[in-house]
Amino acid sequence: MTPKIARFLEEVRPATPCLVLDVDRVEANYRALAAALPLARIYYAVKANPAPPVLERLVALGSAFDAASWEEVELVLAAGAAPSAISYGNTVKKESAVARAFAAGVRMFAFDSEEELEKLARAAPGSKVYCRILVENAGADWPLSRKFGCSVEMAAGLMARAGALGLDPYGLSFHVGSQQRDAVAYEAAIAKVGMLFTDLTERGVNLRMVNLGGGFPVRYSEDVPGIDHFARAIMGAMTRAFGNAIPEMVVEPGRFIVGDAGVIASEVVLVSRKAKDDPVRWVYLDIGRFGGLAETEGESIRYPLRTSRDGGAVGPVTIAGPTCDGADILYERTPYRLPLALRAGDRVELLATGAYTTTYASQSFNGFRPLAEHYI
Ligand SMILES: *Cc1c(COP(=O)(O)O)cnc(C)c1O
């Protein structure tokens, strides 16, 4: 909660549910990361929050962008970014989308399979391409599973082939999983990529770039190491892997840039118990899993809560959303405690909700409108 957001909530009292995001905090986070990793170029992962005020501020700061679709490429261009500052980082793309991005001037693309490489050769000839390696996501609260990346052996063959297909074999990438709390994940991934990089270079493939992905964590209900801790681990691992011939470095932060810049204001719809003497109350909010809080799936991301009744006695609660869907429960196993005085109509603020919320809101499940947004 920044002072600007607190003042806005107090003075404007916007209708709930809504996200209020402080764009100055976005700038501060960008600057903190740039200062911690001065050798890395920052490609903001647009999917974390694609709102124009966020993109425009980042364009003004000189950020580059990681887009996951043609539609995200369009958003970034509309915010004023040059096509040369865009990487099309999704390894799963329609060929028509690749062709559109290429026609718009995008010249950097990710892939992790032979078929995707062939698509790029046809629809984006001569472009810089980088292969995503499958790495361990242990330590991440929101892992990306095995959906993206390929084995080192497969990557070696595909990168060696990229040149013959008329593409520029530019580099290698990985993603250690989102909300990654363990810097060792980066160290292990860099060691793996470093060996492949060296091996390919010795075979005459002209690689120049390592893309470290995103994953940098935000403080939710538990402390996380600061960005300097990750930067030190990353630079140590880069030096061990490459000596003094460190290649171009790219990072693709999403959550770290926008997560703690936003607060969702919500209202209590109902407080109830399942039996008269049940110690656990059910607190139903006007926002839930389908209103933008998709990352509460598996109770993976545990947002800190503030209420208008804070300060009084508290007791255990299960927290749920307002829809008629049994999956619309935010926290049942995580031991949240909220004020005993909490009533329908009270305000509840969900902190650090600037990333992965607005775009996850359903169109009108149960008739509820998508999450309202205020950028200040
Ligand atoms: C989602 C994504 C990111 C951003 O991840 P964060 O954990 O939010 O930093 C970066 N790169 C790629 C390829 C992604 O898909």
Side-chain angles (χ1 to χ4, degrees):
M1 175 77 73
T2 70
K4 206 159 57 147
I5 296 176
R7 209 176 323 124
F8 180 88
L9 290 173
E10 182 69 29
E11 289 171 5
V12 178
R13 293 200 70 77
T16 67
C18 69
L19 170 73
V20 185
L21 188 140
D22 183 346
V23 185
D24 291 338
R25 177 58 74 90
V26 171
E27 173 165 347
N29 290 338
Y30 177 89
R31 289 186 186 282
L33 180 59
L37 279 173
L39 290 188
R41 177 116 202 251
I42 298 174
Y43 283 70
Y44 170 63
V46 175
K47 73 177 190 288
N49 187 321
V54 170
L55 301 182
E56 285 159 13
R57 179 67 66 94
L58 290 169
V59 169
L61 289 164
S63 183
F65 297 87
D66 170 54
S69 64
W70 160 245
E71 288 77 3
E72 282 190 357
V73 170
E74 275 187 304
L75 276 173
V76 173
L77 292 173
S84 58
I86 301 174
S87 165
Y88 198 151
N90 194 339
T91 55
V92 183
K93 301 174 284 300
K94 283 188 179 172
E95 191 163 328
S96 58
V98 174
R100 283 204 186 105
F102 184 73
V106 175
R107 293 290 182 274
M108 205 201 301
F109 296 86
F111 73 96
D112 66 1
S113 66
E114 183 164 17
E115 191 171 279
E116 193 75 10
L117 184 66
E118 287 164 359
K119 273 187 219 167
L120 294 176
R122 284 192 299 270
S127 292
K128 290 175 173 170
V129 295
Y130 58 94
C131 189
R132 182 155 163 183
I133 312 296
L134 189 57
V135 299
E136 286 295 324
N137 277 196
D141 288 340
W142 193 255
L144 297 161
S145 69
R146 289 176 50 80
K147 184 169 174 183
F148 308 104
C150 66
S151 74
V152 166
E153 295 71 29
M154 183 176 276
L158 293 175
M159 287 308 284
R161 190 155 165 244
L165 287 172
L167 294 163
D168 177 2
Y170 183 44
L172 301 170
S173 77
F174 59 81
H175 196 302
V176 293
S178 199
Q179 186 66 8
Q180 175 57 262
R181 291 188 281 159
D182 190 352
V184 170
Y186 290 93
E187 294 174 329
I190 290 168
K192 192 168 178 178
V193 159
M195 277 191 283
L196 174 58
F197 196 103
T198 307
D199 179 40
L200 280 165
T201 306
E202 280 165 5
R203 287 162 58 184
V205 183
N206 181 27
L207 299 187
R208 285 102 72 208
M209 185 275 288
V210 172
N211 179 332
L212 309 155
F216 306 112
V218 161
R219 190 189 192 292
Y220 293 112
S221 291
E222 292 121 47
D223 257 331
V224 294
I227 197 64
D228 290 336
H229 170 78
F230 288 94
R232 266 194 306 276
I234 284 170
M235 289 319 298
M238 288 297 290
T239 304
R240 284 193 294 282
F242 297 100
N244 53 17
I246 291 181
E248 292 169 40
M249 290 171 62
V250 163
V251 286
E252 300 173 333
R255 187 184 304 279
F256 180 80
I257 299 291
V258 287
D260 73 357
V263 171
I264 286 176
S266 76
E267 188 182 295
V268 176
V269 180
L270 176 71
V271 181
S272 67
R273 295 177 200 265
K274 298 295 168 191
K276 201 154 183 283
D277 53 358
D278 192 336
V280 178
R281 291 162 301 148
W282 280 66
V283 173
Y284 300 88
L285 302 177
D286 63 2
I287 184 168
R289 178 74 48 79
F290 304 102
L293 304 178
E295 290 197 320
T296 57
E297 167 78 40
E299 310 196 14
S300 302
I301 299 295
R302 296 172 291 278
Y303 300 111
L305 304 182
R306 278 190 14 183
T307 81
S308 51
R309 306 264 187 192
D310 283 359
V314 297
V317 289
T318 292
I319 305 172
T323 68
C324 291
D325 190 306
D328 191 8
I329 295 174
L330 305 179
Y331 304 112
E332 193 169 18
R333 286 178 287 113
T334 311
Y336 273 87
R337 299 170 72 80
L338 288 176
L340 296 174
L342 203 66
R343 296 285 177 274
D346 287 348
R347 288 273 172 141
V348 173
E349 288 151 4
L350 296 97
L351 308 187
T353 39
Y356 302 116
T357 50
T358 55
T359 45
Y360 272 143
S362 69
Q363 200 50 47
S364 66
F365 181 51
N366 276 213
F368 295 115
R369 265 192 237 124
L371 188 58
E373 303 168 54
H374 306 278
Y375 294 87
I376 60 173

